[in-house]
């Protein structure tokens, strides 16, 4: 109550707890804590030191915004983290649909612990997959490059097929699922594969020009059930 009334300043520990509660990123936490330390400084030299730290943090944030590109290429270590769980992709997309990208709302919508969401958001901002602009969390570059032969591709497919399994039996009218084991000639199998590729290309073009209003997932599979003898 004394803090709210202005009689006392936050302690270092209280400042850190508040940053964690509000889901601030590491850079935002550094800035907020520096503000608290500046207000608690006991002499002019300490206040000047805190002011310099604040300017360094602001400069670092500005530098990160200047480095933003249209696409992102993750190194192997970051790829391993990003593709370790579906929540990284989901949160990256969901920040466009949630007001100001609030972690508490994201956690509720995805049924995830707030602590886990905060951890993912910190990673996404560090890798520039998500950005803070005018105090709001937004989605960064929409395209994330990963090679077709990358060992993380299979994990990415698995993550979202597991999510698809959760939906089986609970599909809504605007959702769709189709499974058709069948026999077909190899010639027609090649034709169907090409048709599916064309559908994916058309879908990507629509998505690239679509206003974010809801998050969907498209999984397509076309494969040999029996191994060929050739």
């Amino acid at each position: 109550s004394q803090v709210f009334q202005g009689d006392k300043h936050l302690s270092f520990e209280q400042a850190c707890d508040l940053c964690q509660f509000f889901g601030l990123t590491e850079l935002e936490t550094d800035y907020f804590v520096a503000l608290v330390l500046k207000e608690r400084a006991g002499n002019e030299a300490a206040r000047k030191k805190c002011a310099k730290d604040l300017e360094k943090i602001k400069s670092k944030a500005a530098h990160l915004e200047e480095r933003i590109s249209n696409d992102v290429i993750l190194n192997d270590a970051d790829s391993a983290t990003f593709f370790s769980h579906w929540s990284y992709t989901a949160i990256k997309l969901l920040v466009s649909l949630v007001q100001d990208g609030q972690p508490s709302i994201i956690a509720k919508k995805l049924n995830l612990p707030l602590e886990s969401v905060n951890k993912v958001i910190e990673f996404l901002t560090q890798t520039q997959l998500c950005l803070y602009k005018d105090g709001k969390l937004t989605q960064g570059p929409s395209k994330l490059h990963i090679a077709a032969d990358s060992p993380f591709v299979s994990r990415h497919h698995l993550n979202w097929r597991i999510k698809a399994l959760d939906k089986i039996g609970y599909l809504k009218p605007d959702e769709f699922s189709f499974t058709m084991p069948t026999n077909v000639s190899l010639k027609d199998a090649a034709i169907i594969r090409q048709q599916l590729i064309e559908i994916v290309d058309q879908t990507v073009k629509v998505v690239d020009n679509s206003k974010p209003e809801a998050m969907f997932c498209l999984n397509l599979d076309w494969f040999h059930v029996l191994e060929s003898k050739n």
Side-chain angles (χ1 to χ4, degrees):
S1 61
Q2 289 179 321
V3 172
F4 289 130
Q5 292 173 3
D7 298 330
K8 288 189 176 181
H9 296 296
L10 293 169
S11 67
F12 174 77
E13 291 77 13
Q14 289 171 331
C16 292
D17 288 341
L18 275 175
C19 291
Q20 183 177 11
F21 177 79
F22 287 112
L24 301 186
T25 65
E26 183 176 1
L27 197 61
E28 289 176 322
T29 298
D30 291 342
Y31 191 79
F32 182 77
V33 170
L35 284 173
V36 171
L37 293 178
K38 181 182 178 183
E39 293 300 318
R40 293 181 60 87
N43 56 44
E44 187 62 23
R47 282 189 288 273
K48 287 183 177 180
K49 174 63 172 65
C50 291
K52 288 182 179 180
D53 290 342
L54 286 168
E55 288 301 318
K56 289 180 180 178
I57 296 171
K58 289 171 64 176
S59 177
K60 183 178 180 181
H63 179 61
L64 286 175
E65 289 187 2
E66 290 174 359
R67 289 169 47 201
I68 295 170
S69 60
N70 293 327
D71 302 329
V72 168
I73 301 176
L74 297 180
N75 58 37
D76 286 347
D78 288 338
S79 292
T81 299
F82 183 79
F83 293 107
S84 65
H85 195 263
W86 61 266
S87 60
Y88 286 84
T89 303
I91 292 173
K92 176 182 180 296
L93 295 172
L94 193 56
V95 296
S96 299
L97 306 176
V98 173
Q99 182 181 3
D100 299 341
Q102 296 181 36
S104 58
I105 299 178
I106 293 174
K108 185 176 181 180
K109 285 185 174 294
L110 295 178
N111 195 27
L112 292 172
L114 179 58
E115 182 179 358
S116 298
V117 172
N118 289 335
K119 178 181 178 181
V120 172
I121 289 176
E122 184 174 11
F123 170 84
L124 293 175
T125 54
Q126 288 176 347
T127 54
Q128 300 179 40
L129 293 172
C130 284
L131 313 169
Y132 272 99
K133 291 185 178 180
D134 300 324
K136 300 178 181 179
L137 184 64
T138 62
Q139 184 179 341
S142 58
K143 294 183 179 179
L144 173 61
H145 290 298
I146 180 170
D149 58 352
S150 169
F152 306 111
V153 169
S154 58
R155 184 67 206 184
H156 178 58
H157 292 319
L158 180 61
N159 287 340
W160 286 99
R161 277 153 181 78
I162 290 175
K163 288 297 294 178
L165 289 174
D166 293 339
K167 299 290 293 186
I168 298 299
Y170 302 96
L171 292 176
K172 298 179 181 179
D174 62 344
E175 297 173 323
F176 174 80
S177 182
F178 182 73
T179 303
M180 185 188 71
T182 186
N183 292 330
V184 66
S185 71
L186 293 178
K187 177 182 177 181
D188 288 338
I191 292 174
I192 293 172
R193 181 182 183 277
Q194 183 58 38
Q195 290 174 337
L196 293 175
I197 292 174
E198 291 172 0
I199 290 174
V200 170
D201 289 340
Q202 294 170 8
T203 302
V204 170
K205 291 178 181 178
V206 172
V207 169
D208 284 344
N209 297 289
S210 181
K211 178 182 177 181
E213 294 178 344
M215 182 167 58
F216 283 78
C217 176
L218 173 64
N219 292 333
L220 282 177
D221 303 290
W222 181 249
F223 56 92
H224 285 276
V225 177
L226 303 177
E227 291 297 328
S228 173
K229 295 181 180 179
N230 296 333

